[in-house]
Amino acid sequence: MATDAINAGVGGKTFLGHPRGLFVLFFAEMWERFSYYGMRALLIFYLMQHWLFAEDKAYVIYGAYTALVYITPVIGGYLADRYIGQRKAVQFGAVLLTIGHGLMAFEGVGGQDSPMINVFWLALAFIIMGVGFLKANISAIVGQLYGQGDPRRDPAFTIFYMGINVGAATGAIIAGYLGQTYGWSYGFGAAGVGMFLGLVVFVWGRPALLGRGEASDPAILKKPVMGIPLEYTIYLWGLVGVLLCWALVQYQAVVGYLLGACGLIVVLYLLGSAVFKLDRVDRDRILAALFLIALQPLFWALFEQAGSSLNVYTDEQVDRTFLGMDVPASVFQSINPIYIVLLGPIFAGLWLWLNRKGWEPSTPAKFGIGIILLGSGFLVLVAGAAASGPALTPVLFIFLIYLLHTMGELCLSPVGLSAMTKLAPARMVGLMMGTWFLSTAGGNFIGGLIAQATGGHGAEAPVGAGATPVMDVYSTIGWVAVGVGVAVIAVSPFIKRLMHEDVDNAHHDRVLAGQREVGEPAAAGVHTEQELKPGEAR
C-alpha cells in the first residue's frame, strides 16, 4: 500500500512526464476559474447598470456574495473528506456551477421589479455552493496523484496553478469584454460555456484520475438515511444549501451578523483553550496564530476593492483608451493573475536567496510587508489621480496599484496558511483552518462595507477623480494599512518567539482539503509554504 502511494500515477499513462490526470484537473480548474473570474469581473456593473441597484447597495451585495463564496469550501472540504470523496464533490460542484452560470445568462428586462431578479439570486446561490464543493477539493486530487516522495509533486502543482491563473486572466478578458461590449448575456454566456467545458473535461477524463479522490469508505455512501442513500442525501442537502444561500445573498446584513457571531465564538473558544487547556508552547502558538488571523480581514477587505470600488473607479475615472479603442473596465481584472504568473517565481527565488543569506523575513514580518505594499498601492493611485487634476487618471496608475497589491499578496497569502497548520495543535488543525476561512470571508464582507463608503458619488462627481470621495477613502485606508504594516513589523520579533519555531511540531506537514486554495480569495492561485521543496523559501 505504501509503495502504491509513493508511485501514484506511475503505472498509468503519462504526458510530459506527469500522469494524464494532472492535465484533466488542469483544464477542469482552468475553465472553472475562467467562468468564476469572468463573471466576477462583470458582477458589480451588472448589479448597478442592469438591476439598477444604487452603487453603495451593489457593493454590499458584492461583499456578501464573495464572503459566502469563501466560507462554503469549509463545508465542501469536510463532506468530501468524511463521506463522498473529492472526485464526487468536485463533480457535484461543477454541476451546480454550470447551472448557476447558465442562469446568469438569463437577464430579463432589468430593474429590481423584474421577476427575473429571483433567477439572478438563484444563480448566485448555485455558484456559491458549487464553489464550496469544487474549490476545496480539486487541488487535493492533484496531490493524490503523487506520493509524498515523488519528485514530480511540486512541479505538478506549478502546472496546476498555471491553469488557475490562465483561466482567471482569460475569463476576465473574454467574458468582461463580451459582457460590456455586446451585452450581459454574451459575457455571462461565455462564462457558462467555460464552466460546462470544465465539467465535460472532468467527467470525460475520470479514467485518467486512476481512482484518486474516491470516498474512503464507499459502502457508507449506500447506507440509507430516511430511505435515501447517504450519497444522495448529501446532494439533497447541497440543494438545501443553495436555497439558504439564495436567502442570505438577498439579506446581506444577516451574512455580516453570522460572520461576526461565528468569529467571536471561535476566537473565544481558541483563547479559552489556549489559557486553560494547552501547555505553554501550544498556548503561545495559538496566540501567534490569532494575531495573524486578525490581520486577514484587513488585508482582504482592502484587496477585494479590486472587483468592486476599484472596478467602478476604473470604469468612470480612468483613461482606458488603447490604440484608439476604449478597453472595458472589467478587462483590467486580468492584471492580477497575469502579475501572479510573472512575479510568483521571482518571489520564490527571492525568499530562497534571502534564506541562504540568513536575511529572510519571518512569517509575521512578511505579513507586515504585504500590508504595507497593499496600502502603498492605494496611495500611489491617490497621488496619480491628484497629479492628473481635472483630467482622467492615466491607466498607468491602475497597473501600478495592481502591481503593488499583487506583491503584497505574494508576501502574505502563500505563507499564512502554512503558518496555521504549523501553529495549531494536532487536535485543533481543522478548527484553525476553519477560522482562517472565516477570517477570509469576513474580509470579503468588510470589503463590501468599505466600498460602500466610496459609493454613490462616482457618476455625480466631476471627471478627474482627485476631488471625489473615493480618493478620500483610498487615502485613509492606504495610510491605515501602511501604519498597521509598520506596527506588525515592529512586533514581529515578539510574535516569532511565540511561534516557537525551534520546537518540533510533528503535525506541521498535515494537508487538508482545500488548504491550497484558501490563499486565493482574489485572482491568484499561489503556492503555500508546504508545497515548496525542503530548503526552499518559506
Side-chain angles (χ1 to χ4, degrees), residues 2-165:
T3 304
D4 290 340
I6 294 175
N7 295 313
V10 172
K13 295 181 179 180
T14 62
F15 179 71
L16 298 179
H18 288 274
R20 290 188 176 183
L22 172 65
F23 299 95
V24 170
L25 299 173
F26 172 96
F27 284 107
E29 178 68 343
M30 183 192 76
W31 284 117
E32 187 274 328
R33 290 291 88 183
F34 174 96
S35 65
Y36 178 79
Y37 283 109
M39 175 270 195
R40 173 183 176 270
L42 290 169
L43 180 58
I44 195 67
F45 301 121
Y46 193 51
L47 287 166
M48 293 167 53
Q49 298 169 14
H50 182 72
W51 297 118
L52 304 181
F53 285 102
E55 187 175 336
D56 53 350
K57 178 65 172 178
Y59 289 146
V60 177
I61 295 171
Y62 177 90
Y65 164 73
T66 54
L68 290 169
V69 161
Y70 290 106
I71 197 63
T72 51
V74 177
I75 302 170
Y78 173 80
L79 291 174
D81 281 347
R82 187 73 181 269
Y83 300 111
I84 60 176
Q86 286 76 31
R87 184 191 63 80
K88 289 184 177 180
V90 169
Q91 187 167 303
F92 181 58
V95 170
L96 295 179
L97 282 164
T98 300
I99 294 172
H101 285 293
L103 291 175
M104 286 293 294
F106 294 92
E107 57 186 85
V109 296
Q112 297 168 49
D113 295 330
S114 170
M116 287 299 292
I117 196 170
N118 291 301
V119 176
F120 167 68
W121 298 126
L122 187 62
L124 293 185
F126 270 105
I127 292 171
I128 290 166
M129 286 304 297
V131 170
F133 276 93
L134 186 146
K135 196 64 187 154
N137 296 297
I138 191 165
S139 67
I141 303 177
V142 176
Q144 292 174 25
L145 290 173
Y146 305 86
Q148 291 292 339
D150 195 325
R152 302 173 299 168
R153 184 183 179 89
D154 293 314
F157 275 105
T158 299
I159 294 171
F160 181 71
Y161 287 125
M162 188 66 69
I164 288 177
N165 290 291

Side-chain angles (χ1 to χ4, degrees), residues 225-273:
V225 177
M226 299 182 64
I228 304 174
L230 176 61
E231 178 180 350
Y232 296 104
T233 301
I234 291 173
Y235 298 152
L236 287 174
W237 277 108
L239 295 177
V240 172
V242 169
L243 296 178
L244 178 61
C245 291
W246 177 81
L248 286 175
V249 78
Q250 296 181 64
Y251 297 94
Q252 302 85 38
V254 176
V255 177
Y257 291 135
L258 287 175
L259 289 172
C262 292
L264 179 62
I265 292 170
V266 170
V267 168
L268 290 176
Y269 176 80
L270 289 172
L271 285 174
S273 298

